[in-house]
Amino acid sequence: MVTKQAYSFIKQLPKVDLHLHLDGSVKPKTLLELARAQGVTLPTQSIADLSSYMSVGDNCTSLAEYLRPFDLVAKVLQTKQALERVAYELVEQAKQDNCAYIEVRFAPQQHREQGLQLEEVLNAVMKGLTKGSCMFGVETRVITCCMRHHDAEVNKEVIRVAAKYLNKGLVAVDLAGDENSFPTSLFRDTFALANQLEIPITIHAGEAAGAESIKEAVKQLGAARIGHGVRLTEDDKLLHEIKKREIPLEMCPISNLQTKATDGWGHYPIRYYFDQGLKVTVHTDNMTVSDTCITKEFSILMDHFHFTITELNQLTINAIDASFLSFQEKKTLKQKCLKQMKKQEQSFPMVV
Ligand SMILES: [Zn+2]
């Protein structure tokens, strides 16, 4: 465990969260309030008990098990008001950890059970993010997710709608869901459309499946970034190619441990990747499902992998470079974060 003093110092560092799922980060209190207002039945009315239904804990055995809490939350995220609210609250949560920028991802096709159109879902989320951004000063962008268990036509519709919002709040498309049951190679055709429409791509890969999934994502699907990439260690040749091409790895340590992408910190390759010079970035994945925040993720790195404050800041710089922002936007964001880092540098020796 890092000291309380070190934790609060890490909390103040400027940060960037590029891998953050909207539906995996809904607060238990919000779920309870939305369910009451909408007449949705929940397994419990106690916030404390509800938290245990919404998060997986350390005893989670697989990615498939990790994905189960999402079904509960999806029940209340079927209206514009609910989507706007959770998006706004996500920005508020990010601010608490001093995030300067977040890329928020979600699968709009999962929010049409009560008749919402994909565009209405996107508009509602973007409205909440914009309000949050104005209120808390955190820059936000959207990534929409295709789902591995959905039909190709549904996923292609998500991509076509994403194209309409590209550079109007949306910056990329993703592929999420059960990587083990639905291999990356099944989605060549779907992502050919994204490439054709020139939408940047990030793909969850090397989490529940091996290095071949990462290879497929990069070489066949055209991924510019990889979500997780924990199992890249299985293929040395590919690892060197990912390094050479500076393809960022969006790593989410606590989630990666919970989904059993790694069987313990002793085997988690983050320090190895970082020292090898790979473009490692660190994120939360799902703040509620994983019961985490980016400060907690950073403190794990300090505690288990001996990252220094300077190295933690380097992860943030990597994340800015890896973001789907424009060149000028990245430059502005980097200047802002570097200024804060420099100011904080003077008090380093007191806490580390
Ligand atoms: Zn994810």
Side-chain angles (χ1 to χ4, degrees):
M1 287 274 282
V2 298
T3 63
K4 224 174 164 184
Q5 202 184 9
Y7 191 89
S8 63
F9 189 84
I10 294 170
K11 196 171 173 126
Q12 289 165 41
L13 297 173
K15 300 176 202 75
V16 164
D17 200 344
L18 301 179
H19 193 124
L20 175 58
H21 293 263
L22 178 69
D23 50 351
S25 307
V26 174
K27 296 191 287 187
K29 184 174 176 279
T30 304
L31 172 60
L32 190 64
E33 287 173 8
L34 289 173
R36 277 183 187 158
Q38 297 176 11
V40 171
T41 311
L42 293 175
T44 172
Q45 292 297 308
S46 137
I47 291 177
D49 291 345
L50 201 52
S51 301
S52 64
Y53 282 95
M54 296 173 77
S55 56
V56 292
D58 296 336
N59 297 327
C60 179
T61 57
S62 66
L63 175 60
E65 192 180 324
Y66 183 89
L67 296 172
R68 270 176 220 150
F70 290 86
D71 295 338
L72 183 65
V73 176
K75 289 183 186 177
V76 302
L77 297 185
Q78 303 300 332
T79 68
K80 290 188 228 174
Q81 294 81 355
L83 287 161
E84 186 185 325
R85 175 176 172 177
V86 296
Y88 175 85
E89 289 182 356
L90 189 53
V91 187
E92 187 179 23
Q93 291 179 81
K95 177 64 185 175
Q96 287 164 8
D97 287 282
N98 201 23
C99 282
Y101 174 65
I102 55 174
E103 287 178 3
V104 178
R105 61 185 77 193
F106 60 100
Q109 67 279 33
Q110 313 230 90
H111 305 283
R112 352 183 239 200
E113 282 171 22
Q114 287 173 27
L116 288 183
Q117 301 293 309
L118 292 182
E119 287 88 347
E120 290 177 306
V121 174
L122 268 152
N123 290 341
V125 172
M126 284 182 177
K127 197 171 165 192
L129 292 178
T130 306
K131 271 190 183 174
S133 193
C134 289
M135 181 59 87
F136 305 109
V138 179
E139 195 74 23
T140 66
R141 296 291 187 278
V142 155
I143 296 174
T144 46
C145 306
C146 296
M147 296 303 295
R148 290 180 184 265
H149 64 284
H150 285 171
D151 290 345
E153 234 357 272
V154 174
N155 283 331
K156 281 183 184 173
E157 203 186 336
V158 171
I159 289 174
R160 279 187 210 104
V161 171
K164 292 191 205 169
Y165 289 80
L166 187 60
N167 301 324
K168 293 174 191 144
L170 181 146
V171 286
V173 288
D174 174 32
L175 177 61
D178 188 348
E179 187 188 10
N180 199 27
S181 307
F182 302 92
T184 306
S185 56
L186 295 174
F187 301 91
R188 286 186 185 183
D189 195 36
T190 301
F191 282 85
L193 177 64
N195 281 303
Q196 193 191 320
L197 295 170
E198 297 181 357
I199 310 173
I201 297 166
T202 177
I203 302 276
H204 282 73
E207 184 185 19
E212 75 287 347
S213 181
I214 303 170
K215 196 182 210 173
E216 179 72 25
V218 170
K219 296 192 182 235
Q220 302 297 336
L221 271 56
R225 290 193 335 219
I226 291 295
H228 308 303
V230 182
R231 292 176 61 182
L232 181 60
T233 42
E234 292 170 8
D235 186 338
D236 224 30
K237 200 175 154 206
L238 183 65
L239 187 143
H240 283 99
E241 191 177 337
I242 298 274
K243 179 188 167 184
K244 203 172 147 204
R245 289 174 58 183
E246 297 186 351
I247 295 175
L249 303 177
E250 310 157 358
M251 302 192 80
C252 307
I254 293 177
S255 164
N256 296 155
L257 197 72
Q258 290 166 336
T259 61
K260 300 294 173 285
T262 186
D263 54 9
W265 293 134
H267 293 110
Y268 193 54
I270 196 156
R271 169 53 82 180
Y272 174 68
Y273 288 170
F274 186 82
D275 290 347
Q276 287 284 312
L278 272 86
K279 272 265 180 234
V280 175
T281 63
V282 168
H283 314 295
T284 51
D285 209 7
N286 299 286
M287 289 200 261
T288 305
V289 177
S290 285
D291 187 21
T292 191
C293 62
I294 197 154
T295 303
K296 201 166 164 183
E297 302 288 343
F298 272 29
S299 64
I300 293 259
L301 298 185
M302 183 181 266
D303 194 19
H304 293 273
F305 302 95
H306 311 293
F307 274 67
T308 63
I309 296 285
T310 307
E311 287 174 330
L312 294 178
N313 281 338
Q314 184 57 48
L315 294 171
T316 299
I317 298 299
N318 286 355
I320 296 171
D321 290 337
S323 75
F324 288 121
L325 290 170
S326 69
F327 176 79
Q328 191 51 46
E329 287 166 335
K330 285 183 193 185
K331 201 174 154 190
T332 308
L333 180 61
K334 203 183 271 186
Q335 277 169 351
K336 182 184 168 185
C337 291
L338 282 170
K339 206 172 154 191
Q340 280 190 49
M341 288 169 186
K342 214 167 168 202
K343 221 171 154 189
Q344 289 162 338
E345 247 168 40
Q346 288 130 15
S347 48
F348 279 11
M350 293 171 68
V351 292
V352 292

